[in-house]
Amino acid sequence: MTINKTLVYKKIPQKSLVAGEHIVVEDLEIDLDTVPKNGLLVEILYVSLDPYLRIMMRDPKIKYNIDPFPVGSPVIETAVVKILKSDADGFEAGETILANVPIAQYARIDNLKDAELQKIDNPYGLPLAHFLGALGMPGLTAYSGLYEVGKPKVGETIFISSAAGAVGQVVGQIAKREGLRVIGSVGSDEKLKFITEELGFDAGFNYKKESPHDALPRLAPDGLDIYYENVGGDHLEASLCNMKRHGRIVVCGMITTYGIPPLEQKPVRGLGQLDACQIKMQGFLVWDAEYGPAYHQEHQKRVQEWIHEGSFQAKLHVTEGIENAATSLVGMLEGRNFGKPVLKVK
Amino acid sequence: MTINKTLVYKKIPQKSLVAGEHIVVEDLEIDLDTVPKNGLLVEILYVSLDPYLRIMMRDPKIKYNIDPFPVGSPVIETAVVKILKSDADGFEAGETILANVPIAQYARIDNLKDAELQKIDNPYGLPLAHFLGALGMPGLTAYSGLYEVGKPKVGETIFISSAAGAVGQVVGQIAKREGLRVIGSVGSDEKLKFITEELGFDAGFNYKKESPHDALPRLAPDGLDIYYENVGGDHLEASLCNMKRHGRIVVCGMITTYGIPPLEQKPVRGLGQLDACQIKMQGFLVWDAEYGPAYHQEHQKRVQEWIHEGSFQAKLHVTEGIENAATSLVGMLEGRNFGKPVLKVK
């Protein structure tokens, strides 16, 4: 048996998730000599760190579209893995694929379906970590939500919260290509500079220095056509107050509500605007048929091409070393990442 | 000149609309001897009283999809009118039509377009006041919002607030025909009896006696597929907390927010459920192309037939006499009507 450092979910967080308390990197053991029947033995190269993990580590009483992790079990995420041994049809040792695995150094995959294995089609030889970011679930979320709910039109104005994040940066760059005026909110001046100077956003603000209630009327005096929602709270409230008629609110996520029972979430004013301005608000899950599956092919084709030709930025925030798994996950939830957070295990 | 008792908007209400203070019936004068060039002279038979009137009498600083009435001008509504004199092509003296006119005894219509004249197609000879209710704007609102946003499916559960009102009673009866389980909230025990015993709702509650937060888990333990929203506030909050995955919230109106600036409206918790359960919330205006205009024909055909054959109830709350215009309008806003409020002018 070999030591397999693994991120384990130890305790349900009542408020913030604390590294070392609720999630801990532990020395588990793994058998690297054999392969599970009809399964795979893999080495984990890159692991994605995504906000929905907070939902997976919540009080089970809080309703959600997915059951939380059982306490005491490893934290599961999507990863780029290298197959060490294969007993599964269609998968060869040496191949690099995507799989849902424990955040760890190695994994034994018994159930191919649960692990949601995906081949990586990478004709331009792009860096593999992008398949966890702009070319992965966050990128497909950004892409499908923007088109399916946002229905962007040339000349419209879109506001994106968490604009430098894994989803926000993709939404903003696509919206620019579609001819929209793009406004973003971020949590630091460095990120503000990034979205306006490097990603080409038309404007933005640091929400730690200026409330969305002040910033939006200043930056979008004619109002918003689309709000791409990643945070909830004040951002949602201010967007509601500044939407135009027939505005669309793409509810990709609301990180400020994750793990908080509905009636303890920060209340939001201004919902009468939905009626007043005929606004549509739509929550979605990337795996629902009309979102990710419907847009997967065009998302891969277009975004791979753009990254390859250098016209699209896919900024990664890479932390190295499995021993940093807990702190980097918490850092992501607290917005300390700058770009799509990825853990480079090896 | 003849005395023409008219409901006049006198003063912007800061809180509730008060009869005799903000709206007053006044003796204006009208010329009944001539007809406006290319226009009509009409006698007003029935006037509709609808919640949106509160929006038309609000602080102009509050954004909405429509400009408020100017202070000092008559209150305008849809009415069944009889043409006394006509100088307009296609309209004859003696005809009964729908028109937007001052709430008054008579009106001179100069601008046919602004008055939104509509012929009444009444093959079964149904009572004319229904064309202000189940067969009019409220009925078409109910119908188009339910189908276009709600997308009802057999076996689903719908919750309707203000269920005995002009819109709610139509929504509930159609939803029953579509094979849904139908739950309603109302403001009195008498209305509760009406929706469950006469309209065929499966269940209901009196929100003055039981909070929606208590009633919904009790009456819909498996959750809601559709919430037909007419009120806002607690009703919306409790519905969010009790929606199933892929639930739809049809935002027809939010009477508790009318005339109140967005940031002074009662805040709502639980918006994270939009994300958690992939809920859609859609505000709409019946006159937008994909709503009223798209459903107008089938709405008229089906609901006229149902009323004619006696399988559909279209309960009216008729107040008689123009002198009661102000009090009956306020009564409607305060929920004291029982059925669709109509003022019988003559």
Side-chain angles (χ1 to χ4, degrees):
Chain A
M1 301 295 266
T2 305
I3 293 291
N4 183 29
K5 285 189 187 297
T6 301
L7 185 64
V8 179
Y9 177 38
K10 300 295 283 182
K11 188 179 162 190
I12 298 171
Q14 292 309 317
K15 292 195 171 173
S16 303
L17 192 77
V18 178
E21 180 182 352
H22 306 104
I23 48 173
V24 176
V25 178
E26 295 193 340
D27 287 348
L28 303 187
E29 289 194 326
I30 191 167
D31 169 10
L32 295 184
D33 297 326
T34 65
V35 55
K37 189 168 162 53
N38 299 321
L40 302 174
L41 176 73
V42 302
E43 180 176 21
I44 297 165
L45 306 181
Y46 295 95
V47 174
S48 187
L49 298 172
D50 298 292
Y52 82 87
L53 285 172
R54 181 64 181 82
I55 295 164
M56 303 304 292
M57 297 182 275
R58 70 181 191 276
D59 191 323
K61 286 196 297 289
I62 304 173
K63 252 176 80 172
Y64 218 87
N65 53 50
I66 190 163
D67 289 334
F69 296 136
V71 171
S73 69
V75 176
I76 309 290
E77 250 287 10
T78 307
V80 176
V81 303
K82 187 173 170 187
I83 302 177
L84 297 179
K85 294 184 164 70
S86 171
D87 187 45
D89 286 349
F91 294 94
E92 304 289 333
E95 239 186 300
T96 303
I97 61 171
L98 294 173
N100 289 353
V101 290
I103 297 182
Q105 297 172 281
Y106 303 98
R108 296 174 63 84
I109 299 176
D110 301 284
N111 185 321
L112 303 193
K113 192 154 173 260
D114 282 0
E116 294 177 16
L117 306 187
Q118 285 181 68
K119 299 264 179 176
I120 297 176
D121 183 21
N122 189 10
Y124 303 114
L126 302 174
L128 289 170
H130 287 327
F131 290 87
L132 301 176
L135 296 170
M137 182 275 285
L140 184 55
T141 298
Y143 194 100
S144 60
L146 175 63
Y147 283 106
E148 185 63 21
V149 182
K151 303 206 183 300
K153 290 176 209 72
V154 177
E156 289 191 331
T157 298
I158 185 172
F159 169 53
I160 304 161
S161 52
S162 203
V167 170
Q169 57 174 280
V170 175
V171 174
Q173 291 180 86
I174 298 176
K176 277 311 298 175
R177 285 174 181 266
E178 293 287 352
L180 280 77
R181 178 171 153 76
V182 180
I183 298 167
S185 80
V186 291
S188 76
D189 290 345
E190 190 192 6
K191 290 178 183 174
L192 182 54
K193 203 171 159 188
F194 170 67
I195 64 167
T196 51
E197 295 185 10
E198 295 187 49
L199 298 187
F201 279 53
D202 297 285
F205 63 97
N206 176 350
Y207 72 87
K208 290 180 182 163
K209 290 189 170 173
E210 184 179 19
S211 150
H213 282 291
D214 295 325
L216 288 179
R218 180 173 69 77
L219 299 175
D222 295 332
L224 306 172
D225 298 285
I226 307 175
Y227 170 43
Y228 202 102
E229 162 69 303
N230 290 306
V231 300
D234 279 356
H235 276 81
L236 174 56
E237 191 171 274
S239 295
L240 280 165
C241 293
N242 287 281
M243 292 299 281
K244 288 191 207 172
R245 268 195 77 184
H246 297 135
R248 290 83 71 194
I249 300 182
V250 188
V251 183
C252 171
M254 288 197 200
I255 200 168
T256 60
T257 70
Y258 289 174
I260 302 176
L263 296 180
E264 292 169 30
Q265 292 167 10
K266 186 166 187 247
V268 172
R269 298 167 294 179
L271 285 160
Q273 295 304 101
L274 286 168
D275 174 41
C277 298
Q278 296 95 62
I279 294 168
K280 173 180 177 173
M281 262 182 102
Q282 171 83 61
F284 70 100
L285 193 62
V286 66
W287 305 127
D288 281 340
E290 65 272 45
Y291 295 94
Y295 287 90
H296 172 70
Q297 276 197 309
E298 69 174 75
H299 163 246
Q300 285 298 316
K301 184 174 181 309
R302 295 177 78 198
V303 180
Q304 285 198 15
E305 265 175 29
W306 296 337
I307 295 176
H308 173 64
E309 74 188 18
S311 67
F312 190 94
Q313 293 208 42
K315 188 174 177 67
L316 296 166
H317 178 99
V318 180
T319 306
E320 297 204 14
I322 184 69
E323 62 279 11
N324 296 315
T327 47
S328 59
L329 194 163
V330 169
M332 175 273 298
L333 289 176
E334 295 179 352
R336 289 201 301 271
N337 57 303
F338 186 0
K340 160 63 192 155
V342 168
L343 182 71
K344 187 176 180 192
V345 174
K346 205 190 170 178
Chain B
M1 300 294 269
T2 306
I3 292 292
N4 183 28
K5 286 187 186 294
T6 301
L7 185 64
V8 178
Y9 177 37
K10 300 295 283 183
K11 188 178 161 189
I12 297 172
Q14 291 309 319
K15 294 195 167 171
S16 303
L17 192 77
V18 177
E21 180 182 353
H22 305 105
I23 47 174
V24 176
V25 178
E26 296 193 339
D27 286 348
L28 304 187
E29 289 193 327
I30 191 167
D31 168 10
L32 295 183
D33 297 324
T34 65
V35 56
K37 189 168 162 55
N38 299 320
L40 303 173
L41 175 73
V42 302
E43 179 176 22
I44 298 165
L45 306 181
Y46 294 95
V47 173
S48 187
L49 298 171
D50 298 292
Y52 82 87
L53 285 172
R54 181 63 180 83
I55 295 164
M56 303 303 294
M57 296 181 277
R58 68 180 192 276
D59 191 322
K61 285 196 298 289
I62 304 173
K63 252 175 78 172
Y64 218 87
N65 54 49
I66 189 162
D67 289 334
F69 296 137
V71 170
S73 69
V75 176
I76 308 289
E77 251 287 9
T78 307
V80 175
V81 303
K82 188 174 170 185
I83 301 176
L84 297 179
K85 294 186 166 70
S86 171
D87 187 46
D89 286 349
F91 295 93
E92 303 291 331
E95 241 186 299
T96 303
I97 61 170
L98 295 172
N100 290 352
V101 289
I103 298 182
Q105 297 172 282
Y106 303 97
R108 295 173 64 84
I109 300 176
D110 301 284
N111 185 321
L112 303 192
K113 191 152 174 262
D114 283 359
E116 294 178 17
L117 306 187
Q118 285 181 67
K119 298 264 180 177
I120 296 176
D121 183 21
N122 189 11
Y124 303 115
L126 301 174
L128 289 171
H130 288 326
F131 290 88
L132 300 177
L135 296 171
M137 182 275 283
L140 184 55
T141 298
Y143 194 100
S144 59
L146 176 63
Y147 283 106
E148 185 63 21
V149 181
K151 303 208 182 299
K153 290 177 207 73
V154 177
E156 289 190 331
T157 298
I158 186 172
F159 169 51
I160 303 161
S161 52
S162 202
V167 170
Q169 58 174 278
V170 175
V171 174
Q173 290 181 86
I174 299 176
K176 277 311 298 174
R177 285 174 182 267
E178 293 287 350
L180 280 78
R181 177 171 154 76
V182 180
I183 298 167
S185 80
V186 291
S188 76
D189 290 345
E190 190 192 8
K191 290 178 183 174
L192 182 54
K193 203 171 160 191
F194 170 67
I195 63 167
T196 53
E197 295 185 9
E198 294 186 49
L199 298 187
F201 279 52
D202 297 285
F205 63 97
N206 176 349
Y207 72 87
K208 290 182 182 163
K209 289 188 170 175
E210 185 180 17
S211 150
H213 281 290
D214 296 325
L216 288 179
R218 179 173 70 76
L219 298 175
D222 296 332
L224 306 172
D225 298 284
I226 306 174
Y227 169 43
Y228 202 102
E229 163 70 302
N230 290 306
V231 300
D234 279 356
H235 276 80
L236 175 55
E237 190 172 274
S239 296
L240 280 165
C241 293
N242 286 281
M243 291 299 281
K244 289 191 207 172
R245 269 195 75 184
H246 297 134
R248 289 85 70 196
I249 300 181
V250 188
V251 183
C252 171
M254 288 198 200
I255 199 168
T256 61
T257 70
Y258 290 175
I260 303 176
L263 296 179
E264 291 169 32
Q265 293 167 8
K266 190 168 184 243
V268 172
R269 297 167 296 179
L271 285 160
Q273 296 303 103
L274 286 168
D275 174 40
C277 297
Q278 295 96 61
I279 295 167
K280 173 181 178 175
M281 262 182 102
Q282 171 84 60
F284 70 100
L285 193 62
V286 65
W287 305 127
D288 281 340
E290 66 271 46
Y291 295 94
Y295 288 90
H296 172 71
Q297 275 197 311
E298 69 173 76
H299 163 246
Q300 285 298 317
K301 185 175 181 309
R302 295 178 77 198
V303 180
Q304 286 200 13
E305 265 175 30
W306 297 337
I307 296 176
H308 174 64
E309 74 189 19
S311 67
F312 189 97
Q313 292 209 41
K315 189 174 176 69
L316 296 165
H317 179 99
V318 180
T319 305
E320 298 203 15
I322 185 69
E323 63 279 11
N324 296 314
T327 48
S328 59
L329 195 164
V330 169
M332 175 273 297
L333 289 175
E334 295 179 352
R336 289 200 302 272
N337 56 303
F338 186 178
K340 160 64 191 154
V342 168
L343 182 71
K344 187 176 178 191
V345 174
K346 205 189 170 182

